[in-house]
Amino acid sequence: MTETLDPEDRKLITLARSARARNAVREGAAVRDETGRTYVAGTVALDSLKLSALQTAVAMAVASGAKSLEAAAVVSEVNVVSAVDRAAVRDLGGETTTILLAGPDGTLLTKVLAIG
């Protein structure tokens, strides 16, 4: 997908990519709240707790007091944003929140809305 991204959206992809690499996990994600703060996370895979990177980033935003989301990004080898991830973003950001999906190299693969 060839598309020029807003610098703040490109930043989300860069942050998500760095979380994936730094933590050596399947996915990295980043979300931006209504004040412009960002929350970055990787996949959580414990025996007792399994969360995608995007679910974890949304949970971090909620735990930090975010009231809404402006945008989200996930970096993954998978080429689709799961329904569960879209639901997590939708719960905090609403149906029209944009989710950017990028490959491991940071190339934008697709943009979807949280409504799916």
Side-chain angles (χ1 to χ4, degrees):
M1 173 178 229
T2 304
E3 182 173 334
T4 303
L5 285 176
D6 172 275
E8 291 300 312
D9 288 346
R10 173 57 53 201
K11 176 182 169 184
L12 283 181
I13 291 173
T14 300
L15 290 170
R17 188 172 178 223
S18 69
R20 182 180 184 270
R22 179 180 60 248
N23 297 316
V25 291
R26 286 187 53 228
E27 296 179 336
V31 298
R32 184 175 60 245
D33 74 9
E34 76 282 0
T35 68
R37 290 180 297 181
T38 56
Y39 306 88
V40 181
T43 307
V44 174
L46 302 173
D47 289 341
S48 62
L49 180 63
K50 307 248 186 271
L51 294 172
S52 72
L54 198 47
Q55 289 172 316
T56 305
V58 170
M60 290 172 65
V62 170
S64 297
K67 304 292 185 224
S68 183
L69 294 178
E70 290 182 349
V74 61
V75 172
S76 177
E77 292 180 6
V78 177
N79 62 358
V80 64
V81 179
S82 74
V84 173
D85 279 350
R86 287 193 320 271
V89 171
R90 184 173 57 244
D91 285 349
L92 185 57
E95 295 179 344
T96 60
T97 305
T98 300
I99 304 170
L100 308 165
L101 175 63
D105 65 354
T107 300
L108 181 65
L109 301 175
T110 190
K111 288 171 73 170
V112 297
L113 297 179
I115 193 169

